Amino acid sequence: MKHLFTFLLICFSPIVSWAQEQNLRIEPPFWYTKMPTTELQIMLHGKDIGLWRAKVDVPGIRLVQQQVGDSQNYLFIDLSISPEVSDGTFTIELSHQTKTNTLDYELKKRIRATNRNQGFSSADVIYLLMPDRFANGNPNNDTVEGMLEPARRDDPSGRHGGDIQGVLEHLDYIKDLGMTAVWLTPVFENDQTPEYKAYHGYAATDMYKIDRRFGSNEEFVAFVEACHKKGLKVIMDMIHNHIGDQHWWMEDLPFNNWLHDQEVYGNTSYRGSVASDPYASQYDYDKLVKGWFVNEMPDLDQSNEVLSKYLIQNTLWWIEYSGIDGIRMDTYVYPYADYMARWAKEVLSAYPTFNIVGESWVESVAHESYWQKDKPGEEDGYNSFLPSVTDFQIQFAVRDAFNQDFGWTTGLMNIYYALSQDRLYSDPMKNVIFLDNHDIGRIYSTLGENIEHLKMAYAFLMTTRGIPQVYYGTELAFEQGPSAWGDGAKRAEMPGGWLGDERSVFDASGRTSKERQMHEYVKKITNWRKTSKAIHDGKLLHYLPENNVYVYFRYTDKDRVMVIMNMNESAMNISREKHIQMLRGYSSAKEIFSDRSISLLKDFKVPAKTTLIYELR
Ligand code: CA
């Protein structure tokens, strides 16, 4: 009884530490022992904390330097932590004039497990979804007291209430489709005003906190663990180009050069090509790099060394804390290219099994390939250290293949021309390829709302080189919404994700016949892709499109896959003789959707408007 009393006394005594009393913000909130880097920069923010001086007297921990911000409400403490230091709490002593106080800082033990930080590759298929629009697993967090924007489901640009719990509850649906990785659009706190509508997550107001309308930090960690248990990888979306204008820094900027001055540089030109243009003017460069993305997204100035360290460390913290497998970095070509390269290099040297894809939304293969690690040719000395780029060129090519007549440089030829420039990439197999995403129109509508076109494009995506990414809803042939909905037109809810929905696309019985047809197709092809070594690691050999038919092979020493895209309104003959280089030694082939076999010992016909995938035997 006495023990219990003592226990209760300890638990409920109002022991408020000095840090709590001072309302000190400490970032990162904790760190780890035996990290790949010995460096740790702690940011302290609180009234006049810059007047205090830190001292650390702990074996294995060295105080490297301390800096006061241009605002004296910041103190940055740089420590070097030797790998011998064991986990637990250590004390930082802070003194000002005659006063001395202490701050306890925790070093946690790293969790080592083979299913953490796995990376992603061309053996994966990434399923991209927006948490706000996918499923609402917890209606109690739709509107959170104390946060600026409440849920407004009737507004296509408002918050709809979807969350991490909603995704968690539908992991079986994602896995059943054959997907092997999940990319969530950003889940950091976006406590922006209702006018700005930041349900998309690209306007962070706290980079160490999951938005409470999506869940908590603990829920995110549990989500990653649950994905790993199901054999799904997790890709986290991050943004180092900008923050939200309601970020807590905005009230009290640490340094005068923390942001680029919007009054000087205005908004960005969105012209990513400028970053790799050998003839670019200073004016155009400044517009791209120093202009703000939009008025509500202040542009970070990563030439500030403290900010650079803060951002890189924030990434390492999330990788270590949550176990994520990869990062999709937003607006990769907008910040200083040297900063992005340093970030990618440091993150990947700390976590060599990890992978990163950068959003490189540019206009040509040459512009795109500039951003991939170890780019070949034209040496300007720049190396991005970024393994994967978002291959917009393949998306443009597919779009044009279905929207133009076949000609010397038009229609299906777009796909051929895009791929035939692959020598410009150091490793095109690492390109992330896609038909659509949350920023471009729904592919089903782009392709004329023709289900056969959508299937053809999907089969191409699953069999050409690269790492495919599928946007949620594409497996159900989601249409583009009315243009009056703005970006909401391409970010519709998954019916059945919300309590009280009339139907649920998560169950076969709730799908329309069009949705059922596409879902079945996607499920079959994607699950087949999971097993195909020729697609994961094989080489690509293709033939110039002829008579509006495109034929290509994916092959390893052991496996061989033949893909035929017939864009014609009629059946077409496939000549054995023309393709003998790849058909020699093979007598039959199984078409993987229907499981039907054909003989390869003679010419054969392929039906109109279809992409057929054959496994050669
Ligand atoms: Ca919710």
Side-chain angles (χ1 to χ4, degrees):
M1 193 63 197
K2 195 179 155 217
H3 286 299
L4 180 69
F5 180 73
T6 315
F7 173 74
L8 286 174
L9 199 72
I10 290 167
C11 285
F12 298 108
S13 299
I15 302 168
V16 178
S17 72
W18 175 73
Q20 285 167 317
E21 219 175 75
Q22 298 294 305
N23 213 6
L24 263 193
R25 190 187 272 266
I26 305 166
E27 292 186 347
F30 51 85
W31 195 242
Y32 294 89
T33 52
K34 300 179 178 37
M35 282 292 270
T37 167
T38 54
E39 291 173 20
L40 170 64
Q41 170 186 281
I42 301 175
M43 171 193 261
L44 299 183
H45 178 241
K47 178 126 185 61
D48 296 330
I49 191 68
L51 300 176
W52 296 69
R53 287 299 162 269
K55 213 178 114 188
V56 178
D57 189 14
V58 181
I61 303 181
R62 189 167 58 86
L63 179 71
V64 179
Q65 63 167 346
Q66 48 191 320
Q67 297 175 75
V68 183
D70 288 330
S71 155
Q72 69 172 16
N73 299 325
Y74 288 89
L75 182 64
F76 294 90
I77 305 170
D78 283 72
L79 302 175
S80 171
I81 301 176
S82 123
E84 278 80 53
V85 173
S86 47
D87 51 285
T89 299
F90 73 91
T91 301
I92 300 170
E93 212 179 275
L94 286 156
S95 38
H96 171 48
Q97 293 168 347
T98 56
K99 289 172 280 182
T100 299
N101 277 297
T102 58
L103 194 70
D104 288 337
Y105 194 85
E106 190 187 5
L107 294 175
K108 290 182 192 279
K109 202 175 153 81
R110 290 179 74 186
I111 303 166
R112 313 287 187 117
T114 51
N115 64 358
R116 286 168 65 88
N117 316 136
Q118 301 166 82
F120 56 90
S121 71
S122 50
D124 286 304
V125 179
I126 302 165
Y127 189 72
L128 159 64
L129 63 87
M130 293 201 101
D132 184 61
R133 301 300 169 88
F134 191 70
N136 188 1
N138 179 7
N140 295 323
N141 65 10
D142 297 1
T143 296
V144 170
E145 213 187 304
M147 297 195 78
L148 296 172
E149 188 189 0
R152 270 210 55 187
R153 211 180 148 197
D154 59 346
D155 180 350
S157 305
R159 281 189 178 268
H160 288 203
D163 46 37
I164 291 168
Q165 180 63 27
V167 187
L168 186 72
E169 287 168 8
H170 295 100
L171 290 183
D172 285 334
Y173 170 85
I174 296 168
K175 187 172 167 71
D176 179 61
L177 277 170
M179 306 297 161
T180 64
V182 191
W183 154 21
L184 307 182
T185 51
V187 288
F188 291 159
E189 184 194 89
N190 274 224
D191 195 8
Q192 292 284 103
T193 61
E195 294 73 40
Y196 178 59
K197 304 174 186 203
Y199 68 93
H200 48 67
Y202 290 98
T205 56
D206 186 335
M207 291 173 68
Y208 277 102
K209 205 167 161 194
I210 300 291
D211 195 292
R212 284 181 283 161
R213 292 159 297 191
F214 291 145
S216 62
N217 285 17
E218 292 74 20
E219 272 183 85
F220 182 71
V221 173
F223 170 77
V224 176
E225 278 172 12
C227 285
H228 287 166
K229 269 194 193 125
K230 289 220 182 284
L232 292 166
K233 298 169 175 181
V234 179
I235 299 170
M236 195 175 198
D237 207 329
M238 291 187 179
I239 316 101
H240 285 185
N241 182 60
H242 51 259
I243 51 175
D245 63 357
Q246 301 298 315
H247 192 290
W248 64 269
W249 285 333
M250 296 303 288
E251 295 278 298
D252 186 13
L253 288 171
F255 287 91
N256 299 333
N257 67 341
W258 205 250
L259 303 175
H260 289 120
D261 190 343
Q262 196 191 20
E263 282 181 23
V264 177
Y265 301 107
N267 286 5
T268 182
S269 61
Y270 308 100
R271 297 288 190 156
S273 58
V274 168
S276 61
D277 176 359
Y279 310 119
S281 65
Q282 189 67 41
Y283 173 87
D284 286 339
Y285 179 82
D286 287 351
K287 278 299 266 183
L288 173 73
V289 173
K290 302 176 187 172
W292 287 25
F293 201 75
V294 293
N295 291 339
E296 295 83 358
M297 291 175 171
D299 196 70
L300 293 171
D301 181 352
Q302 305 86 1
S303 69
N304 181 305
E305 176 62 18
V306 174
L307 175 59
S308 288
K309 268 193 191 161
Y310 177 95
L311 294 171
I312 293 168
Q313 198 169 267
N314 176 263
T315 302
L316 300 180
W317 188 86
W318 278 106
I319 296 173
E320 191 57 43
Y321 173 64
S322 67
I324 48 167
D325 303 293
I327 290 171
R328 179 269 189 184
M329 177 53 84
D330 186 63
T331 42
Y332 202 85
V333 307
Y334 290 75
Y336 295 103
D338 286 338
Y339 165 72
M340 292 316 301
R342 175 183 162 194
W343 170 78
K345 192 180 179 189
E346 289 189 21
V347 169
L348 289 164
S349 76
Y351 294 91
T353 60
F354 202 70
N355 195 19
I356 303 171
V357 53
E359 184 202 18
S360 46
W361 191 345
V362 285
E363 274 62 43
S364 75
V365 173
H367 291 119
E368 194 87 75
S369 64
Y370 183 85
W371 297 100
Q372 189 170 53
K373 184 186 176 192
D374 301 334
K375 72 180 159 59
E378 50 106 19
E379 287 311 322
D380 67 348
Y382 182 65
N383 190 339
S384 73
F385 294 100
L386 174 72
S388 293
V389 293
T390 49
D391 197 338
F392 275 86
Q393 313 321 310
I394 294 295
Q395 199 279 336
F396 302 153
V398 170
R399 176 195 66 196
D400 296 342
F402 289 92
N403 286 294
Q404 296 172 354
D405 290 333
F406 183 60
W408 191 260
T409 58
T410 54
L412 200 43
M413 288 307 293
N414 285 286
I415 292 178
Y416 171 82
Y417 281 125
L419 289 167
S420 62
Q421 297 175 67
D422 266 7
R423 63 180 179 76
L424 293 178
Y425 292 108
S426 59
D427 192 354
M429 279 293 271
K430 291 204 172 94
N431 289 13
V432 169
I433 52 175
F434 51 95
L435 301 175
D436 54 0
N437 65 27
H438 55 302
D439 289 324
I440 53 180
R442 284 278 176 191
I443 189 66
Y444 178 57
S445 295
T446 306
L447 302 185
E449 302 193 351
N450 177 323
I451 197 88
E452 299 312 324
H453 284 179
L454 182 60
K455 287 186 198 166
M456 288 180 76
Y458 193 84
F460 167 73
L461 183 74
M462 289 297 125
T463 52
T464 192
R465 88 325 182 238
I467 309 169
Q469 166 251 297
V470 179
Y471 184 40
Y472 83 97
T474 291
E475 76 276 17
L476 300 161
F478 269 22
E479 291 164 19
Q480 182 81 0
S483 54
W485 291 7
D487 282 337
K490 49 209 164 198
R491 300 166 180 177
E493 290 175 8
M494 287 285 272
W498 275 251
L499 217 65
D501 280 357
E502 278 171 21
R503 66 189 186 100
S504 175
V505 294
F506 294 108
D507 301 314
S509 61
R511 294 174 201 140
T512 64
S513 72
K514 178 193 80 181
E515 287 167 352
R516 232 185 342 261
Q517 199 190 135
M518 192 60 200
H519 186 276
E520 188 190 344
Y521 188 80
V522 165
K523 182 176 165 177
K524 178 94 186 194
I525 307 282
T526 317
N527 277 292
W528 166 80
R529 189 190 190 280
K530 250 179 163 171
T531 66
S532 177
K533 284 270 169 225
I535 303 293
H536 296 174
D537 312 314
K539 292 180 180 158
L540 170 66
L541 181 143
H542 64 179
Y543 285 75
L544 268 166
E546 199 176 24
N547 301 323
N548 215 4
V549 176
Y550 177 47
V551 177
Y552 58 98
F553 293 83
R554 298 297 307 279
Y555 64 103
T556 64
D557 290 345
K558 287 186 192 138
D559 304 295
R560 193 160 291 196
V561 170
M562 179 185 198
V563 185
I564 305 166
M565 277 180 99
N566 176 14
M567 299 284 273
N568 296 285
E569 303 284 353
S570 54
M572 294 296 282
N573 192 62
I574 302 299
S575 151
R576 169 178 158 78
E577 196 49 41
K578 177 178 171 183
H579 305 103
I580 195 70
Q581 178 191 352
M582 296 305 288
L583 296 182
R584 188 176 289 121
Y586 292 91
S587 59
S588 71
K590 187 181 79 169
E591 195 276 302
I592 64 106
F593 187 74
S594 66
D595 286 334
R596 273 198 291 268
S597 287
I598 55 161
S599 168
L600 293 176
L601 300 174
K602 53 184 196 290
D603 291 0
F604 60 96
K605 277 203 170 348
V606 290
K609 285 279 176 201
T610 184
T611 301
L612 293 174
I613 306 168
Y614 292 105
E615 276 179 335
L616 304 198
R617 286 162 170 183

